[in-house]
Amino acid sequence: MKKLVRVWAAGWSLFLLSLLAQSAQAAPVVYGFDDLQDQDRLSNQWSGLSFFNALALKVGQSLNVDEFPPRSGDTAVLDDGGALEILFAQPVFSVGAYFTYFEKLSFFAYDAGGGLLGSVHSLFSSNLLLSGDVGSLNNEFVSFSDSAGRIARVVIQGGSLGSSMVMDDLTVEFGRSVPEPKSWALVALALVAAAVARRRYFSSLSR
């Protein structure tokens, strides 16, 4: 009987943990840049993010869509004057974006102290829509993740003088959030149900 009770308790524990896990994972935030105007320089337009060497280009104006089509919307971001850099007010867990480039792209991630966490690189030397390397696809997703949530800065390096890539749909995972009240309510209901079921179970044994 004690074994049955332990199995029953373990089952309810797993159920409750699954509820908390589903509610705790924060969805990544995607920045599409479409609210920007052509030739806008990115700086601190979004809370918690700072951009350097980043210039907005719009379809029908400065953006060459024959080779650099945006992944979504009508705006992409150019590496203007050097490596594109993004700083985060609070360290994050992952950073990625969709890139179209004509020079090999390197993506470096740093912690708050300036230490290199690691780097990733593009699959090709060029993935332009019409004239990219054989087998390449434009808007390649390149990202870096850190399970400890230590990413404070990323540097995306193409050509040393810039103007070698465009970026779209920057995707940032800021971490895990506190479960919403409705999630706690579900857990509370589950605990009550577990207590009632346990009491009924033992009551039936005593009859």
Side-chain angles (χ1 to χ4, degrees), residues 95-96 99 105-109 118-121 142-144 154-156:
V95 186
F99 296 93
L105 182 152
S106 297
F107 191 109
F108 302 95
S119 62
V120 290
H121 307 277
V142 182
S143 66
F144 185 87
V154 295
V155 176
I156 303 123

Side-chain angles (χ1 to χ4, degrees), residues 41 52-55 78-84 157 159-164:
R41 187 164 295 282
F52 300 88
N53 297 329
L55 188 71
L78 175 75
D79 58 328
D80 183 51
L84 198 160
Q157 178 74 61
S160 59
L161 299 178
S163 299
S164 61

Side-chain angles (χ1 to χ4, degrees), residues 50-200:
S50 298
F51 293 84
F52 300 88
N53 297 329
L55 188 71
L57 304 180
K58 241 171 170 49
V59 171
Q61 299 182 60
S62 298
L63 183 61
N64 175 11
V65 293
D66 292 333
E67 292 284 25
F68 297 93
R71 179 178 182 262
S72 65
D74 65 354
T75 308
V77 173
L78 175 75
D79 58 328
D80 183 51
L84 198 160
E85 187 173 347
I86 308 169
L87 273 65
F88 302 95
Q90 297 294 329
V92 301
F93 284 77
S94 71
V95 186
Y98 294 84
F99 296 93
T100 301
Y101 50 86
F102 66 85
E103 291 194 38
K104 187 77 173 179
L105 182 152
S106 297
F107 191 109
F108 302 95
Y110 299 86
D111 63 21
L116 179 65
L117 295 171
S119 62
V120 290
H121 307 277
S122 60
L123 296 175
F124 300 91
S125 295
S126 172
N127 71 338
L128 299 180
L129 179 60
L130 299 179
S131 58
D133 295 346
V134 174
S136 67
L137 294 173
N138 60 287
N139 287 306
E140 176 187 333
F141 189 69
V142 182
S143 66
F144 185 87
S145 298
D146 180 70
S147 60
R150 297 174 295 168
I151 304 171
R153 178 170 66 104
V154 295
V155 176
I156 303 123
Q157 178 74 61
S160 59
L161 299 178
S163 299
S164 61
M165 71 177 99
V166 296
M167 174 181 73
D168 197 10
D169 288 349
L170 173 68
T171 304
V172 182
E173 183 186 349
F174 288 93
R176 295 185 177 274
S177 61
V178 176
E180 298 176 2
K182 64 180 181 181
S183 301
W184 287 118
L186 286 173
V187 172
L189 286 174
L191 287 171
V192 171
V196 171
R198 184 173 182 274
R199 184 173 182 179
R200 287 178 178 175

Side-chain angles (χ1 to χ4, degrees), residues 2-23:
K2 290 182 178 180
K3 183 177 180 181
L4 286 174
V5 173
R6 285 197 298 268
V7 171
W8 170 85
W12 273 107
S13 298
L14 288 173
F15 172 70
L16 295 176
L17 286 173
S18 69
L19 283 178
L20 287 172
Q22 290 172 17
S23 64

